[in-house]
Amino acid sequence: MLVRPLVVPVVCACACACACVQDLDRDLQDDVSIVATREAAFAEPVIARLARRGPRAIPAIETALHTAKPTGRVQLVITLRRIGDGEAIPLLRHLARWDADEAVRKEADFTLHTWAGGSDARGAAARAALAAAAP
């Protein structure tokens, strides 16, 4: 009989934890959507919030890049730069080379060049990405 009362609280705790994770994921998606669609003045505090989330935001940003207008893509690249994680380098390399909009290409290239100045692993990866992206 003692096992049953312990199981219910554990199951409830797991369900609550899952709900909290889903809420965080929904909040992250909402934040990325704001950055992709709003003017810079509205997006700036959200960019800062996404930067605090770190690399967890990169997959949602990558997804949003597919449908965002050029101004939104620029803001998403700025968000990647503020996150500062090397996981974004392949995405930035692709944008720097292939994005249809020159402003997006320049922003991605600027981010890669900024990171390439570092002496850490991210700097080395950014330098390699720039070399690979060169025509």
Side-chain angles (χ1 to χ4, degrees):
M1 291 282 178
L2 291 176
V3 173
R4 184 167 273 223
L6 293 176
V7 171
V8 173
V10 170
V11 170
C12 289
C14 289
C16 291
C18 289
C20 291
V21 169
Q22 288 174 345
D23 287 344
L24 287 175
D25 289 346
R26 202 167 316 141
D27 289 345
L28 189 143
Q29 293 291 337
D30 290 345
D31 284 350
V32 169
S33 178
I34 289 168
V35 171
T37 60
R38 301 292 173 103
E39 294 179 21
F42 294 108
E44 179 53 38
V46 182
I47 290 171
R49 190 165 51 237
L50 284 169
R52 287 191 299 274
R53 289 179 182 260
R56 291 178 298 164
I58 294 173
I61 291 169
E62 182 175 6
T63 300
L65 283 163
H66 293 287
T67 57
K69 293 182 180 178
T71 54
R73 292 197 309 274
V74 167
Q75 290 179 163
L76 290 167
V77 170
I78 291 168
T79 305
L80 290 171
R81 184 169 57 245
R82 297 268 298 274
I83 290 171
D85 193 275
E87 285 184 34
I89 290 174
L91 180 57
L92 291 166
R93 182 187 68 214
H94 178 80
L95 293 168
R97 178 90 190 249
W98 301 109
D99 196 89
D101 188 82
E102 183 179 3
V104 177
R105 290 192 309 271
K106 285 183 176 185
E107 198 67 44
D109 188 65
F110 173 77
T111 300
L112 288 171
H113 275 89
T114 300
W115 291 358
S119 59
D120 56 358
R122 184 186 73 179
R127 287 188 294 278
L130 288 167

